[in-house]
Short mmCIF file of all heavy atoms in Angstrom, two decimals:
data_model
loop_
_atom_site.label_atom_id
_atom_site.label_comp_id
_atom_site.label_asym_id
_atom_site.label_seq_id
_atom_site.Cartn_x
_atom_site.Cartn_y
_atom_site.Cartn_z
N LEU A 19 -4.93 -7.23 -9.31
CA LEU A 19 -3.89 -6.87 -8.40
C LEU A 19 -3.45 -8.05 -7.55
O LEU A 19 -2.27 -8.28 -7.31
CB LEU A 19 -4.32 -5.74 -7.44
CG LEU A 19 -3.32 -5.33 -6.39
CD1 LEU A 19 -2.05 -4.75 -7.00
CD2 LEU A 19 -3.92 -4.36 -5.37
N GLY A 20 -4.42 -8.84 -7.10
CA GLY A 20 -4.13 -10.04 -6.34
C GLY A 20 -3.19 -10.95 -7.10
O GLY A 20 -2.23 -11.53 -6.54
N ARG A 21 -3.43 -11.10 -8.41
CA ARG A 21 -2.55 -11.94 -9.24
C ARG A 21 -1.17 -11.30 -9.40
O ARG A 21 -0.13 -11.96 -9.41
CB ARG A 21 -3.16 -12.20 -10.60
CG ARG A 21 -4.28 -13.22 -10.53
CD ARG A 21 -4.78 -13.62 -11.93
NE ARG A 21 -5.75 -12.64 -12.41
CZ ARG A 21 -5.64 -11.93 -13.53
NH1 ARG A 21 -4.54 -11.99 -14.26
NH2 ARG A 21 -6.60 -11.12 -13.91
N ALA A 22 -1.15 -9.95 -9.57
CA ALA A 22 0.16 -9.26 -9.72
C ALA A 22 0.99 -9.39 -8.48
O ALA A 22 2.24 -9.46 -8.59
CB ALA A 22 -0.15 -7.77 -10.04
N LEU A 23 0.37 -9.42 -7.34
CA LEU A 23 1.13 -9.46 -6.06
C LEU A 23 1.31 -10.90 -5.52
O LEU A 23 1.97 -11.06 -4.48
CB LEU A 23 0.42 -8.65 -4.98
CG LEU A 23 0.30 -7.14 -5.25
CD1 LEU A 23 -0.44 -6.46 -4.11
CD2 LEU A 23 1.68 -6.50 -5.45
N ALA A 24 0.81 -11.89 -6.23
CA ALA A 24 0.92 -13.27 -5.76
C ALA A 24 2.38 -13.64 -5.57
O ALA A 24 3.22 -13.51 -6.49
CB ALA A 24 0.25 -14.21 -6.72
N GLY A 25 2.74 -14.05 -4.37
CA GLY A 25 4.10 -14.46 -4.09
C GLY A 25 5.09 -13.33 -3.82
O GLY A 25 6.25 -13.56 -3.55
N ALA A 26 4.58 -12.09 -3.84
CA ALA A 26 5.46 -10.95 -3.62
C ALA A 26 5.72 -10.74 -2.12
O ALA A 26 4.85 -11.03 -1.29
CB ALA A 26 4.87 -9.68 -4.22
N ALA A 27 6.87 -10.24 -1.78
CA ALA A 27 7.23 -9.90 -0.39
C ALA A 27 7.02 -8.42 -0.12
O ALA A 27 6.87 -7.98 1.02
CB ALA A 27 8.67 -10.29 -0.11
N GLY A 28 7.05 -7.61 -1.21
CA GLY A 28 6.88 -6.17 -1.04
C GLY A 28 6.12 -5.56 -2.19
O GLY A 28 6.16 -6.05 -3.33
N TRP A 29 5.43 -4.46 -1.88
CA TRP A 29 4.56 -3.77 -2.90
C TRP A 29 4.86 -2.28 -2.79
O TRP A 29 4.73 -1.69 -1.69
CB TRP A 29 3.09 -4.09 -2.58
CG TRP A 29 2.10 -3.36 -3.40
CD1 TRP A 29 2.26 -2.82 -4.65
CD2 TRP A 29 0.72 -3.12 -3.05
NE1 TRP A 29 1.08 -2.26 -5.07
CE2 TRP A 29 0.12 -2.40 -4.12
CE3 TRP A 29 -0.06 -3.43 -1.93
CZ2 TRP A 29 -1.20 -2.02 -4.10
CZ3 TRP A 29 -1.39 -3.04 -1.90
CH2 TRP A 29 -1.95 -2.38 -2.99
N ILE A 30 5.28 -1.70 -3.88
CA ILE A 30 5.55 -0.26 -3.94
C ILE A 30 4.37 0.45 -4.61
O ILE A 30 3.88 0.02 -5.66
CB ILE A 30 6.83 0.01 -4.74
CG1 ILE A 30 8.04 -0.63 -4.01
CG2 ILE A 30 7.10 1.53 -4.90
CD1 ILE A 30 9.32 -0.54 -4.79
N THR A 31 3.90 1.55 -3.99
CA THR A 31 2.77 2.29 -4.55
C THR A 31 3.11 3.79 -4.63
O THR A 31 4.08 4.21 -4.03
CB THR A 31 1.50 2.13 -3.69
OG1 THR A 31 1.55 3.08 -2.61
CG2 THR A 31 1.39 0.74 -3.11
N GLY A 32 2.26 4.55 -5.31
CA GLY A 32 2.43 6.00 -5.41
C GLY A 32 1.55 6.77 -4.48
O GLY A 32 1.29 7.95 -4.71
N LEU A 33 1.08 6.15 -3.40
CA LEU A 33 0.19 6.85 -2.45
C LEU A 33 0.93 8.02 -1.79
O LEU A 33 2.13 7.93 -1.44
CB LEU A 33 -0.25 5.91 -1.34
CG LEU A 33 -1.13 4.73 -1.71
CD1 LEU A 33 -1.52 3.95 -0.48
CD2 LEU A 33 -2.39 5.22 -2.46
N ARG A 34 0.20 9.15 -1.66
CA ARG A 34 0.69 10.32 -0.93
C ARG A 34 -0.33 10.73 0.12
O ARG A 34 -1.55 10.68 -0.15
CB ARG A 34 0.96 11.52 -1.88
CG ARG A 34 2.12 11.36 -2.79
CD ARG A 34 2.44 12.62 -3.57
NE ARG A 34 1.33 13.07 -4.41
CZ ARG A 34 0.57 14.13 -4.18
NH1 ARG A 34 0.80 14.93 -3.13
NH2 ARG A 34 -0.43 14.45 -5.00
N ALA A 35 0.13 11.17 1.27
CA ALA A 35 -0.80 11.56 2.34
C ALA A 35 -1.65 12.74 1.93
O ALA A 35 -2.77 12.89 2.38
CB ALA A 35 0.02 11.91 3.61
N GLU A 36 -1.17 13.59 1.05
CA GLU A 36 -1.84 14.84 0.67
C GLU A 36 -2.97 14.58 -0.28
O GLU A 36 -3.79 15.47 -0.54
CB GLU A 36 -0.81 15.82 0.06
CG GLU A 36 -1.28 17.20 -0.10
CD GLU A 36 -0.23 18.08 -0.84
OE1 GLU A 36 -0.02 17.88 -2.06
OE2 GLU A 36 0.38 18.92 -0.15
N GLN A 37 -3.09 13.36 -0.85
CA GLN A 37 -4.08 13.12 -1.90
C GLN A 37 -5.52 13.21 -1.40
O GLN A 37 -6.39 13.58 -2.15
CB GLN A 37 -3.80 11.74 -2.52
CG GLN A 37 -2.57 11.68 -3.40
CD GLN A 37 -2.24 10.31 -3.82
OE1 GLN A 37 -2.47 9.35 -3.07
NE2 GLN A 37 -1.60 10.16 -4.97
N SER A 38 -5.75 12.83 -0.16
CA SER A 38 -7.12 12.86 0.37
C SER A 38 -7.09 12.68 1.88
O SER A 38 -6.08 12.26 2.44
CB SER A 38 -7.99 11.75 -0.24
OG SER A 38 -7.54 10.47 0.21
N ALA A 39 -8.19 13.00 2.51
CA ALA A 39 -8.27 12.84 3.96
C ALA A 39 -8.13 11.37 4.35
O ALA A 39 -7.53 11.02 5.37
CB ALA A 39 -9.62 13.37 4.49
N PHE A 40 -8.67 10.46 3.51
CA PHE A 40 -8.57 9.04 3.77
C PHE A 40 -7.14 8.58 3.79
O PHE A 40 -6.74 7.63 4.50
CB PHE A 40 -9.40 8.28 2.68
CG PHE A 40 -9.33 6.78 2.85
CD1 PHE A 40 -9.98 6.12 3.86
CD2 PHE A 40 -8.62 6.02 1.93
CE1 PHE A 40 -9.93 4.75 4.00
CE2 PHE A 40 -8.55 4.63 2.04
CZ PHE A 40 -9.21 4.00 3.07
N ARG A 41 -6.29 9.20 2.95
CA ARG A 41 -4.88 8.81 2.86
C ARG A 41 -3.93 9.60 3.72
O ARG A 41 -2.73 9.43 3.65
CB ARG A 41 -4.45 8.89 1.37
CG ARG A 41 -5.22 7.96 0.47
CD ARG A 41 -4.74 8.00 -0.99
NE ARG A 41 -5.45 7.00 -1.79
CZ ARG A 41 -5.20 6.75 -3.08
NH1 ARG A 41 -4.25 7.41 -3.69
NH2 ARG A 41 -5.88 5.81 -3.69
N ALA A 42 -4.48 10.47 4.58
CA ALA A 42 -3.66 11.38 5.35
C ALA A 42 -2.67 10.64 6.27
O ALA A 42 -1.63 11.19 6.64
CB ALA A 42 -4.55 12.31 6.17
N ALA A 43 -3.02 9.42 6.68
CA ALA A 43 -2.15 8.68 7.58
C ALA A 43 -1.24 7.71 6.89
O ALA A 43 -0.58 6.88 7.53
CB ALA A 43 -2.98 7.92 8.62
N VAL A 44 -1.12 7.81 5.58
CA VAL A 44 -0.28 6.87 4.83
C VAL A 44 1.17 7.01 5.28
O VAL A 44 1.76 8.08 5.19
CB VAL A 44 -0.36 7.15 3.29
CG1 VAL A 44 0.70 6.43 2.53
CG2 VAL A 44 -1.73 6.74 2.79
N PRO A 45 1.79 5.89 5.73
CA PRO A 45 3.18 5.94 6.16
C PRO A 45 4.13 5.57 5.01
O PRO A 45 3.65 5.10 3.95
CB PRO A 45 3.23 4.86 7.24
CG PRO A 45 2.22 3.84 6.77
CD PRO A 45 1.14 4.61 6.03
N LEU A 46 5.39 5.77 5.20
CA LEU A 46 6.38 5.36 4.17
C LEU A 46 6.46 3.84 4.04
O LEU A 46 6.77 3.38 2.95
CB LEU A 46 7.75 5.96 4.53
CG LEU A 46 7.87 7.51 4.33
CD1 LEU A 46 9.15 7.98 5.01
CD2 LEU A 46 7.87 7.87 2.83
N ALA A 47 6.23 3.12 5.09
CA ALA A 47 6.24 1.67 5.06
C ALA A 47 5.29 1.10 6.06
O ALA A 47 5.08 1.70 7.14
CB ALA A 47 7.65 1.17 5.38
N ILE A 48 4.64 0.00 5.73
CA ILE A 48 3.65 -0.61 6.57
C ILE A 48 3.51 -2.08 6.26
O ILE A 48 3.78 -2.48 5.10
CB ILE A 48 2.28 0.12 6.42
CG1 ILE A 48 1.28 -0.27 7.45
CG2 ILE A 48 1.73 -0.13 5.03
CD1 ILE A 48 0.02 0.55 7.47
N HIS A 49 3.12 -2.87 7.21
CA HIS A 49 2.75 -4.26 6.91
C HIS A 49 1.33 -4.28 6.45
O HIS A 49 0.39 -3.89 7.16
CB HIS A 49 2.91 -5.16 8.12
CG HIS A 49 2.54 -6.56 7.87
ND1 HIS A 49 1.31 -7.10 8.14
CD2 HIS A 49 3.24 -7.58 7.25
CE1 HIS A 49 1.26 -8.35 7.79
NE2 HIS A 49 2.43 -8.66 7.22
N ASP A 50 1.09 -4.70 5.19
CA ASP A 50 -0.25 -4.77 4.64
C ASP A 50 -0.84 -6.15 4.97
O ASP A 50 -0.42 -7.17 4.42
CB ASP A 50 -0.19 -4.57 3.11
CG ASP A 50 -1.57 -4.44 2.48
OD1 ASP A 50 -2.35 -5.39 2.59
OD2 ASP A 50 -1.86 -3.35 1.92
N GLU A 51 -1.79 -6.15 5.91
CA GLU A 51 -2.39 -7.40 6.37
C GLU A 51 -3.19 -8.09 5.27
O GLU A 51 -3.27 -9.33 5.21
CB GLU A 51 -3.24 -7.13 7.58
CG GLU A 51 -2.48 -6.72 8.81
CD GLU A 51 -3.36 -6.54 10.05
OE1 GLU A 51 -4.58 -6.23 9.85
OE2 GLU A 51 -2.87 -6.73 11.12
N GLY A 52 -3.82 -7.28 4.41
CA GLY A 52 -4.65 -7.84 3.37
C GLY A 52 -3.88 -8.73 2.41
O GLY A 52 -4.37 -9.78 2.02
N TYR A 53 -2.71 -8.27 2.00
CA TYR A 53 -1.89 -9.01 1.03
C TYR A 53 -0.73 -9.72 1.68
O TYR A 53 -0.02 -10.44 1.00
CB TYR A 53 -1.41 -8.10 -0.07
CG TYR A 53 -2.52 -7.56 -0.94
CD1 TYR A 53 -3.01 -6.25 -0.80
CD2 TYR A 53 -3.10 -8.37 -1.89
CE1 TYR A 53 -4.03 -5.80 -1.58
CE2 TYR A 53 -4.14 -7.91 -2.68
CZ TYR A 53 -4.62 -6.61 -2.52
OH TYR A 53 -5.65 -6.18 -3.32
N GLY A 54 -0.52 -9.50 2.97
CA GLY A 54 0.54 -10.25 3.69
C GLY A 54 1.91 -9.90 3.21
O GLY A 54 2.76 -10.81 3.03
N LEU A 55 2.19 -8.63 3.01
CA LEU A 55 3.49 -8.21 2.53
C LEU A 55 3.84 -6.80 3.10
O LEU A 55 3.04 -6.20 3.80
CB LEU A 55 3.56 -8.20 1.02
CG LEU A 55 2.38 -7.63 0.21
CD1 LEU A 55 2.15 -6.17 0.47
CD2 LEU A 55 2.57 -7.91 -1.28
N ILE A 56 5.05 -6.36 2.78
CA ILE A 56 5.44 -5.02 3.19
C ILE A 56 5.06 -4.03 2.10
O ILE A 56 5.39 -4.25 0.90
CB ILE A 56 6.96 -4.91 3.43
CG1 ILE A 56 7.43 -5.98 4.42
CG2 ILE A 56 7.35 -3.51 3.92
CD1 ILE A 56 6.75 -5.91 5.75
N LYS A 57 4.33 -2.98 2.42
CA LYS A 57 3.89 -1.99 1.47
C LYS A 57 4.73 -0.74 1.64
O LYS A 57 4.82 -0.15 2.72
CB LYS A 57 2.43 -1.66 1.70
CG LYS A 57 1.78 -0.78 0.66
CD LYS A 57 0.27 -0.68 0.99
CE LYS A 57 -0.49 0.14 -0.06
NZ LYS A 57 -1.94 0.18 0.30
#
């Protein structure tokens, strides 16, 4: 994944808040600090 996102400014995912308690706070857009891009 790190190679796939290398140099990317944005990352689109299929995350849904309903999938699990861990993902309940998933927003429509966020700054991903780990990869340094907009998720």
Side-chain angles (χ1 to χ4, degrees):
L19 175 66
R21 284 188 277 119
L23 295 180
W29 174 24
I30 297 172
T31 85
L33 295 182
R34 289 188 300 111
E36 194 185 70
Q37 288 171 328
S38 69
F40 178 72
R41 297 182 175 185
V44 168
L46 288 167
I48 191 170
H49 179 263
D50 189 298
E51 293 183 331
Y53 292 103
L55 43 63
I56 306 302
K57 188 175 183 179

